[in-house]
């Protein structure tokens, strides 16, 4: 499944996800459901930065998920090493459920079903 279709399904299924962006391993944006391209770029960069910093803290070991609580929602980034999905959420989301939904979207993009 392509990234655009997977994001559309994600936003239909997950009532806690407000906006989302998919980027490749090179950082190029593959699909987004955000207000505009600048917002998509900012979210993708924030997610990549958080995953990278978390990995550095863990001695360079790869990190698959980062969740940051904000004033009026959260930022969640999930990666499978090939792609990264970064999403903003409603206030006080069920973090595990959002992460599951993002992982499922990545699996659909890989053709793993889910």
């Amino acid at each position: 499944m392509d990234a655009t279709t997977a994001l559309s399904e994600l936003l239909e299924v997950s009532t806690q996800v407000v906006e989302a962006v998919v980027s490749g391993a090179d950082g190029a944006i593959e699909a987004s459901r955000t207000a505009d391209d600048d917002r998509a770029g900012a979210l993708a960069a924030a997610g990549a930065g958080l995953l990278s910093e978390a990995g550095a803290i863990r001695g360079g070991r790869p990190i698959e998920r980062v969740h940051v609580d904000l004033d009026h929602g959260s930022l969640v980034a999930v990666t499978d090493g090939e792609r990264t999905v970064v999403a903003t959420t409603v206030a006080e989301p069920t973090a595990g459920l959002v992460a599951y939904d993002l992982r499922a979207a990545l699996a659909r993009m890989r053709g793993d079903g889910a």
Side-chain angles (χ1 to χ4, degrees), residues 11-96:
L11 273 93
E12 286 176 22
V13 171
S14 182
T15 59
Q16 297 184 49
V17 173
V18 175
E19 58 187 349
V21 62
V22 176
S23 58
D26 62 356
I29 295 175
E30 295 182 13
S32 68
R33 294 286 302 265
T34 59
D36 56 41
D37 291 344
D38 288 340
R39 177 69 174 169
L43 284 178
L50 288 168
L51 288 163
S52 177
E53 289 298 319
I57 290 169
R58 290 196 61 205
R61 290 180 289 177
I63 300 293
E64 295 177 0
R65 175 179 73 130
V66 174
H67 175 121
V68 177
D69 287 322
L70 306 169
D71 286 340
H72 300 290
S74 295
L75 180 93
V76 182
V78 174
T79 188
D80 64 4
E82 295 176 31
R83 291 185 176 101
T84 300
V85 179
V86 182
T88 60
T89 70
V90 297
E92 300 182 29
T94 307

